[in-house]
């Protein structure tokens, strides 16, 4: 059963009265075995480009066959069949290959009232038997790079084995840069990556432990929050033990890459093993009450924590997200290291040039209308000379440019495109 996240089962619906998102999964990223290259799905890219305003991306990642797609189906509000939602199945073979998005972006808003469209991103399970370590790192890295909220889905509690599986984070920080000119890696570079990283939620499935622990100095046991449980698990281990440096490197990488982090435990949904294998097909009433409440709270928490995707001070639109996805894939296929700020600058420059071209077309049309005396708009009433016609046409063109250009008002790509556009306005006048 899939919960209606826009009505019953959600404490914070994305938009009051909005219907469940009807859509289908679209393949965003896949690996072509023939060419040994990553490819992007054009239908998924077109879906992103169709979103004109800000977009946020909620990605769910984790090991294969541990229920990632089930959680995304709760968020998507999809029908309770394998064909209608993200693929879910009971076999050991992974259902999801590469990266998939839900074709119906969810109109929502932050607790502060900022509106954006939420993109749901499903990832191939990491550490599957048919994967290489490099491939797992690349899939993990792409999900982190594209998301504004990254959910790591895992069975059980946080122990040393669970932390070891997240050594992908350490590998990822070696293969991603903020700028292409970076030549050194280290704690400083990883900390800088953290400024561009998504919010992080460690989701613990089938969690059965009591959240209680003693103080650092060995005091009496007391109840702790999930967030405290996570922070205690990420404490550095004493040096001198076996593999202590490697263990601390993983902990340090997680803390540096995900400075904004949270933990959320979910109990086992049912006790019957056979029913557990077909979780999406179970009626809601057959799920344990504690699990139903937990999923409702999780959905509300994820919607409240997610934000529009940012790179630095800039908020990404759907077209911008499609552009940076292309830039990251081109870097991977070319054997280069994806550089966040560099990729964003190239995308912003290209989109600003397109916005300037569109603005110049509007200028030409408006100026011609003024010159011919057949414009009927109020702002043309007094445009009886070339200067007034030029300024009126230029004002209209700037509205088009500002609506389509990417980047903050004072950013380099926007300033350069504006200067070139203004020079062309003067030349055409």
């Amino acid at each position: 059963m899939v919960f209606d996240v826009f009505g019953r089962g959600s404490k914070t619906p994305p938009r009051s009265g909005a219907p469940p998102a009807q859509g289908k999964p679209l393949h965003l990223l896949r690996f072509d075995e023939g060419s040994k290259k990553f490819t992007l799905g054009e239908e998924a890219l077109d879906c992103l480009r169709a979103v004109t305003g800000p977009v946020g991306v909620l990605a769910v990642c984790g090991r294969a066959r541990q229920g990632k797609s089930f959680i995304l189906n709760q968020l998507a509000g999809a029908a309770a069949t394998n064909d209608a939602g993200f693929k879910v199945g009971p076999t050991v073979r992974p259902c999801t290959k590469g990266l998939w998005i839900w074709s119906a972006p969810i109109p929502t808003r932050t607790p502060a009232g900022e509106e954006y469209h939420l993109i749901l991103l499903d990832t191939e399970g990491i550490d599957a038997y048919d994967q290489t370590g490099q491939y797992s790192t690349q899939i993990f890295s792409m999900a982190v790079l594209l998301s504004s909220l990254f959910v790591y889905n895992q069975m059980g509690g946080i122990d040393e084995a669970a932390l070891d599986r997240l050594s992908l984070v350490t590998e990822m920080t070696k293969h991603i840069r903020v700028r292409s000119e970076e030549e050194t890696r280290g704690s400083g570079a990883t900390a800088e990556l953290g400024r561009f990283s998504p919010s992080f939620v460690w989701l613990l499935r089938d969690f059965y432990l009591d959240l209680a622990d003693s103080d650092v100095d060995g005091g009496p046991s007391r109840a702790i929050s999930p967030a405290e449980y996570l922070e205690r698990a990420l404490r550095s281990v004493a040096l001198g033990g076996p593999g202590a440096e490697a263990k601390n490197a993983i902990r340090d990488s997680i803390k540096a890459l995900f400075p904004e982090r949270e933990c959320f435990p979910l109990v086992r949904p049912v006790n019957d093993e056979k029913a557990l294998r077909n979780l999406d097909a179970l009626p809601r009433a057959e799920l344990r009450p504690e699990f139903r409440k937990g999923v409702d709270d999780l959905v509300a928490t994820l919607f409240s924590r997610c934000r529009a995707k940012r790179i630095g001070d800039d908020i990404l639109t759907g077209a911008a997200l499609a552009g940076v996805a292309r830039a990251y894939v081109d870097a991977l296929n070319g054997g280069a290291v994806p550089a966040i700020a560099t990729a964003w600058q190239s995308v912003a420059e290209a989109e600003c040039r397109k916005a300037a071209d569109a603005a110049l077309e509007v200028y030409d049309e408006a100026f011609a209308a003024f010159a011919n005396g057949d414009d009927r708009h109020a702002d043309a009433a007094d445009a009886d000379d070339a200067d007034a016609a030029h300024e009126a046409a230029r004002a209209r063109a700037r509205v088009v440019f500002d609506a389509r250009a990417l980047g903050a008002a004072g950013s380099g790509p926007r300033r350069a495109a504006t200067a070139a556009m203004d020079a062309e306005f003067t030349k055409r006048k």
Side-chain angles (χ1 to χ4, degrees):
M1 180 65 180
V2 178
F3 308 122
D4 179 359
V5 301
F6 306 95
R8 72 181 190 280
S10 176
K11 297 181 178 62
T12 56
R15 180 168 295 174
S16 178
Q22 300 299 318
K24 62 180 181 179
L26 300 176
H27 219 151
L28 176 65
L29 177 73
R30 72 177 75 209
F31 186 74
D32 185 278
E33 289 292 345
S35 64
K36 301 299 181 183
K37 301 286 186 182
F38 285 99
T39 62
L40 290 167
E42 286 302 320
E43 188 177 4
L45 292 177
D46 288 343
C47 174
L48 295 178
R49 296 184 187 113
V51 184
T52 55
V55 294
V57 181
L58 194 162
V60 180
C61 187
R63 299 185 72 190
R65 310 287 353 119
Q66 294 195 350
K68 303 182 307 301
S69 300
F70 172 83
I71 293 299
L72 281 160
N73 284 339
Q74 315 312 303
L75 295 164
T81 68
N82 284 348
D83 292 333
F86 288 106
K87 191 68 175 176
V88 179
T91 67
V92 296
R93 184 169 183 80
C95 295
T96 305
K97 302 295 288 184
L99 299 180
W100 295 72
I101 64 169
W102 190 245
S103 68
I106 303 170
T108 186
R109 59 172 61 92
T110 67
E114 299 166 340
E115 295 189 354
Y116 68 99
H117 279 80
L118 178 63
I119 308 292
L120 300 177
L121 179 69
D122 195 8
T123 70
E124 180 175 352
I126 59 175
D127 293 337
Y129 62 84
D130 57 350
Q131 289 180 359
T132 64
Q134 180 185 19
Y135 178 83
S136 292
T137 300
Q138 289 171 326
I139 291 294
F140 186 92
S141 299
M142 283 294 294
V144 170
L145 286 169
L146 296 176
S147 61
S148 52
L149 176 59
F150 185 83
V151 180
Y152 181 67
N153 182 82
Q154 175 208 302
M155 289 291 183
I158 304 176
D159 55 17
E160 208 60 53
L163 289 166
D164 286 343
R165 283 192 291 270
L166 264 184
S167 61
L168 284 172
V169 175
T170 305
E171 289 302 311
M172 173 187 164
T173 58
K174 298 176 184 176
H175 296 92
I176 294 178
R177 296 175 182 171
V178 172
R179 289 173 294 274
S180 59
E181 64 268 20
E182 285 184 27
E183 296 182 356
T184 59
R185 309 301 298 158
S187 58
T190 304
E192 188 174 14
L193 274 177
R195 296 193 298 108
F196 295 85
S197 296
S199 179
F200 177 73
V201 174
W202 198 327
L203 176 58
L204 305 176
R205 304 289 293 276
D206 294 5
F207 189 78
Y208 61 88
L209 301 174
D210 291 329
L211 284 175
D213 199 359
S214 60
D215 295 330
V216 178
D217 57 3
S221 179
R222 65 175 181 85
I224 60 174
S225 68
E228 288 179 292
Y229 174 66
L230 173 59
E231 295 310 309
R232 290 179 181 226
L234 294 178
R235 287 174 180 165
S236 298
V237 300
L239 294 176
E245 289 188 7
K247 293 177 181 179
N248 285 338
I250 295 172
R251 288 166 165 81
D252 292 343
S253 294
I254 294 171
K255 289 185 287 188
L257 186 63
F258 299 119
E260 183 180 328
R261 51 189 180 266
E262 182 59 273
C263 180
F264 197 103
L266 269 181
V267 299
R268 192 178 179 90
V270 291
N271 292 319
D272 181 70
E273 289 290 340
K274 184 177 181 180
L276 188 63
R277 294 170 61 210
N278 295 282
L279 189 58
D280 261 30
L282 287 181
R284 177 179 170 90
E286 293 186 17
L287 300 173
R288 295 174 63 194
E290 307 97 309
F291 180 77
R292 295 200 301 265
K293 182 181 184 305
V295 171
D296 292 347
D297 290 344
L298 172 66
V299 168
T301 296
L302 296 184
F303 273 118
S304 68
R305 290 186 68 90
C306 197
R307 301 289 187 273
K309 175 66 176 176
R310 288 178 176 270
I311 296 183
D313 295 328
D314 297 317
I315 298 176
L316 270 61
T317 63
L321 183 66
V324 295
R326 176 75 69 188
Y328 294 149
V329 169
D330 288 346
L332 288 177
N333 288 338
V337 175
I340 299 171
T342 303
W344 168 241
Q345 181 166 342
S346 66
V347 170
E349 288 172 350
E351 292 300 317
C352 283
R353 286 194 296 268
K354 292 179 184 178
D357 290 341
L360 288 169
E361 290 182 8
V362 170
Y363 173 88
D364 289 342
E365 293 173 0
F367 196 95
F370 291 134
N372 294 331
D374 55 3
D375 186 275
R376 296 295 181 266
H377 290 82
D379 59 3
D382 298 324
D384 54 1
D385 56 35
D387 286 337
H390 164 75
E391 290 302 328
R394 180 175 176 275
R396 289 193 188 178
R398 284 301 300 269
V399 170
V400 172
F401 176 81
D402 290 339
R404 300 189 183 187
L406 296 182
S411 65
R414 198 159 184 145
R415 285 201 314 269
T418 300
M421 183 175 63
D422 286 341
E424 189 63 27
F425 286 151
T426 302
K427 177 182 176 182
R428 295 188 181 193
K429 174 191 172 184

